[in-house]
Amino acid sequence: MSGPPGVILAGGLATRMGGGDKGLLTLGGRSLLSHVIDRLAPQVSGLALNANGEAARFDDFGLPVLADSISGYAGPLAGVLAGLDWAATQGADSIVTAAADTPFFPADLVVRLQATGQGMETSLVLAATPDAKRGQVRHPTFGLWPVSLRDDLRAALNDGLRKVVLWTERHKGREAVFPIGDVDPFFNVNTPEDLAKAEQMRKGAA
């Protein structure tokens, strides 16, 4: 399909899972990453994976593997930057990101992010869900990011910025609010208990 390329963010340290790659954990007999690929691929024009370390461990997925260009663990913004640099070589204007540990995100993620970005000089949009206490909760690993801001992001990261929302607010980013149904679409797997819960959620959604 036409539209922005997608970048799956898998560069986290997974400390609460004891380290390793959360995306390679098994859910319903398949890796979390496989679930994320199946969900994102129909929504984008191409896919790449942001991950650090030995790229060969992801060979079975057949995706370009993009390492962070910022030294040290700089968080998800470093993965976004890697995706933007890659997208620039593809001639793309923007990317959409999704996290490798979040298998239930919306099947209309991309179109709703793009719709929210209509009319912006630079379409910078994060996914969010409603919250009774805080109004809404942003999900900073799910967003629409303009390639034109990649050098600004690089400079911000080199200056020590790590918090996604501080950078998006600097550029007047918007939020696309997604409803929470029977399953929280942005439930992510951080712990072994979360993985067990995801298995129950998967069975309930089947």
Side-chain angles (χ1 to χ4, degrees):
M1 64 169 288
S2 60
V7 177
I8 299 171
L9 302 177
L13 298 175
T15 52
R16 283 181 280 177
M17 291 296 291
D21 297 296
K22 284 193 290 182
L24 299 182
L25 296 172
T26 299
L27 175 67
R30 302 171 64 238
S31 68
L32 285 173
L33 185 53
S34 293
H35 289 281
V36 171
I37 290 170
D38 286 352
R39 220 159 174 81
L40 188 57
Q43 304 187 49
V44 295
S45 58
L47 273 178
L49 178 66
N50 163 242
N52 299 302
E54 179 52 61
R57 69 193 191 277
F58 298 109
D59 281 352
D60 288 347
F61 298 99
L63 298 178
V65 178
L66 317 173
D68 293 348
S69 60
I70 304 296
S71 60
Y73 175 64
L77 279 177
V80 172
L81 177 60
L84 291 174
D85 284 341
W86 168 74
T89 71
Q90 309 297 306
D93 295 328
S94 61
I95 62 169
V96 169
T97 57
D101 62 359
T102 308
F104 308 118
F105 65 88
D108 60 350
L109 173 74
V110 175
V111 294
R112 294 186 64 171
L113 290 173
Q114 289 180 308
T116 300
Q118 288 293 318
M120 299 180 71
E121 183 176 347
T122 52
S123 296
L124 179 59
V125 184
L126 294 182
T129 46
D131 182 87
K133 293 182 178 179
R134 291 178 284 176
Q136 63 188 37
V137 174
R138 288 173 286 200
H139 302 283
T141 52
F142 288 83
L144 174 68
W145 311 87
V147 170
S148 62
L149 289 179
R150 67 192 178 105
D151 289 333
D152 182 281
L153 177 55
R154 194 184 332 275
L157 284 164
N158 284 327
D159 284 343
L161 182 74
R162 297 294 181 262
K163 193 169 178 60
V164 173
V165 296
L166 290 181
W167 188 73
T168 60
E169 287 175 350
R170 181 182 299 176
H171 295 284
K172 298 181 172 57
R174 295 178 181 174
E175 288 78 43
V177 182
F178 293 81
I180 296 177
D182 295 334
V183 171
D184 179 352
F186 296 101
F187 176 83
N188 65 307
V189 176
N190 284 317
T191 65
E193 293 75 19
D194 289 340
L195 186 60
K197 183 176 180 180
E199 189 64 52
Q200 294 302 313
M201 293 168 69
R202 183 190 67 84
K203 292 175 180 177

